[in-house]
Amino acid sequence: MNTDMQTETTTTKALLQELLAAETAVWTALQQGDIAADRAALHPQFLGVYPSGFAGRDDHTDQLSQGPTVAEFSIEDARVLPLGPEIALLAYRASYTRPGQAEGEAEGAAMYVSSIWQRQDGGWINIFSQDTEALPEGAENPLP
């Protein structure tokens, strides 16, 4: 492997770790019901695209007004796509359960998430996120 490819791989791995940490902070805010932490992670012009429609930063934080919305979560199969010098897309599969889910109930839900993050003031801020519900295990993919 030439030095340029090694540097690119090292840079991409570092970028993936930075964005996973930022994304995990959002999930942790949802798990803890932490409105301030959720708000701090989202750009003022944040746009979320969900099965229920579009959401802005206030919509995202308002969901926590009744407390945590996530009990447990995991982020799997993460990948990163640099979009520019200070912007990148993080895509992954999230598995999660909701608060109050009794033991023995369905194991939770899963979705695929694409988040665009922008480097700002030495950290990362989420400017866009789209969640796509994952098909149940064993379901046939309807796409060609």
Side-chain angles (χ1 to χ4, degrees):
M1 184 182 301
N2 69 34
T3 304
D4 288 341
M5 288 181 74
Q6 287 175 333
T7 301
E8 183 177 321
T9 301
T10 301
T11 302
T12 301
K13 285 181 182 178
L15 178 60
L16 177 61
Q17 293 308 308
E18 287 179 39
L19 294 181
L20 280 172
E23 190 78 29
T24 298
V26 173
W27 279 94
T28 300
L30 297 176
Q31 186 180 43
Q32 295 175 351
D34 190 338
I35 293 172
D38 189 45
R39 185 174 212 57
L42 304 177
H43 189 278
Q45 298 301 314
F46 170 81
L47 174 63
V49 180
Y50 307 113
S52 59
F54 298 111
R57 180 168 74 172
D58 289 342
D59 300 312
H60 199 276
T61 59
D62 286 352
Q63 70 179 317
L64 298 173
S65 63
Q66 302 298 313
T69 59
V70 172
E72 299 292 330
F73 71 91
S74 64
I75 295 174
E76 303 132 11
D77 198 21
R79 49 199 70 196
V80 67
L81 176 63
L83 300 175
E86 303 295 326
I87 193 162
L89 179 137
L90 175 68
Y92 61 92
R93 184 178 194 276
S95 299
Y96 60 96
T97 58
R98 297 289 185 191
Q101 189 172 358
E103 191 170 323
E105 283 187 48
E107 291 186 23
M111 63 182 154
Y112 290 93
V113 179
S114 298
S115 291
I116 297 177
W117 291 84
Q118 181 178 14
R119 191 183 307 270
Q120 191 173 55
D121 300 327
W124 290 95
I125 192 158
N126 190 207
I127 61 174
F128 173 85
S129 184
Q130 180 167 3
D131 300 351
T132 303
E133 186 177 344
L135 292 173
E137 194 152 328
E140 186 175 327
N141 186 344
L143 299 175

